[in-house]
């Protein structure tokens, strides 16, 4: 074994005296030997994929399907939510986002129409009841309930023309004369 120390940085080759880093480098080269591969070292880059949260709105769609299914919008939103979840499981985040956006829009419309229909189903019967009570108070005997024939009001637009004289001979046949 040859223990000669090759010096790469000698004070004669440079105008400055050697510093600590140069001496340490020379020592490492002596102990470890010259690098075997003259190619520069390569680096490996690891991309850590952050989990991007794409909401699929499945629970909201299921609620709208069960309770606010106006024009089947809740069911259609549920179908798009399931498609969004499938795309997310496959790894297609762009497709999942597109389906989730459509499901969100459909859920909003289903919720708005469901609330409007619920309000109307509460208000319309109340209004009908109030109109019926108003008719009973202001026009007794002319309400919406059946009454005896003697109490039937004679309204001008429902009045029948006078009977034809021949109708007395044929009681089962109705004859009407023109209004004069």
């Amino acid at each position: 074994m040859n223990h000669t120390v090759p010096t790469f940085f000698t004070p004669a080759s440079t105008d400055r005296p050697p510093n600590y880093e140069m001496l340490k480098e020379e020592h490492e080269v002596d102990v470890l030997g010259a690098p075997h591969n003259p190619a520069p070292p390569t680096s490996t880059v690891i991309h850590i994929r952050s989990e991007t949260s794409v909401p699929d709105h499945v629970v909201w769609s299921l609620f709208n399907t069960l309770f606010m299914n106006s024009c089947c919008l809740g069911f259609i939103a549920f179908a798009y939510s399931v498609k969004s979840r499938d795309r997310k499981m496959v790894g297609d985040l762009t497709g999942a986002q597109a389906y989730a956006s459509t499901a969100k829009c459909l859920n909003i419309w289903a919720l708005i129409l469901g609330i409007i229909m619920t309000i109307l189903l509460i208000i319309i019967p109340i209004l009908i009841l109030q109109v019926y009570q108003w008719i009973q108070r202001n026009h007794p005997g002319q309400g919406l309930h059946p009454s005896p024939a003697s109490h039937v009001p004679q309204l001008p637009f429902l009045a029948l023309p006078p009977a034809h004289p021949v109708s007395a001979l044929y009681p089962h046949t109705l004859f009407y004369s023109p209004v004069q």
Side-chain angles (χ1 to χ4, degrees):
M1 283 189 137
N2 187 1
H3 289 297
T4 58
V5 178
T7 57
F8 296 105
F9 303 102
T10 60
S13 64
T14 61
D15 295 337
R16 307 176 289 188
N19 61 12
Y20 175 74
E21 286 85 22
M22 291 161 74
L23 293 174
K24 183 179 175 188
E25 211 173 285
E26 288 178 7
H27 177 69
E28 288 177 1
V29 168
D30 288 338
V31 172
L32 299 175
H36 300 290
N37 188 1
T42 59
S43 62
T44 304
V45 178
I46 299 173
H47 295 285
I48 299 174
R49 202 170 118 206
S50 64
E51 289 298 319
T52 309
S53 176
V54 177
D56 49 17
H57 309 293
V58 170
V59 176
W60 188 13
S61 300
L62 185 62
F63 174 81
N64 283 339
T65 299
L66 295 176
F67 300 110
M68 306 274 185
N69 200 15
S70 305
C71 303
C72 293
L73 289 177
F75 180 72
I76 297 169
F78 185 71
Y80 274 97
S81 296
V82 170
K83 285 182 179 184
S84 173
R85 182 169 279 187
D86 291 344
R87 292 282 92 201
K88 190 165 52 171
M89 290 299 167
V90 171
D92 180 16
L93 294 179
T94 306
Q97 183 65 39
Y99 283 126
S101 175
T102 304
K104 181 180 178 181
C105 182
L106 290 170
N107 277 324
I108 289 171
W109 279 107
L111 187 66
I112 289 171
L113 290 177
I115 289 172
I116 289 172
M117 287 179 63
T118 303
I119 290 171
L120 289 178
L121 286 174
I122 293 171
I123 290 177
I124 289 177
I126 291 173
L127 290 176
I128 290 174
L129 181 64
Q130 287 178 351
V131 167
Y132 178 74
Q133 289 173 349
W134 181 82
I135 289 173
Q136 290 297 319
R137 278 192 314 266
N138 294 333
H139 302 289
Q142 296 181 8
L144 300 175
H145 57 83
S147 60
S150 62
H151 293 95
V152 174
Q154 292 297 320
L155 300 174
F157 56 88
L158 292 179
L160 297 174
H164 196 274
V166 180
S167 64
L169 298 174
Y170 304 100
H172 300 294
T173 309
L174 296 176
F175 293 98
Y176 294 104
S177 61
V179 179
Q180 300 176 8

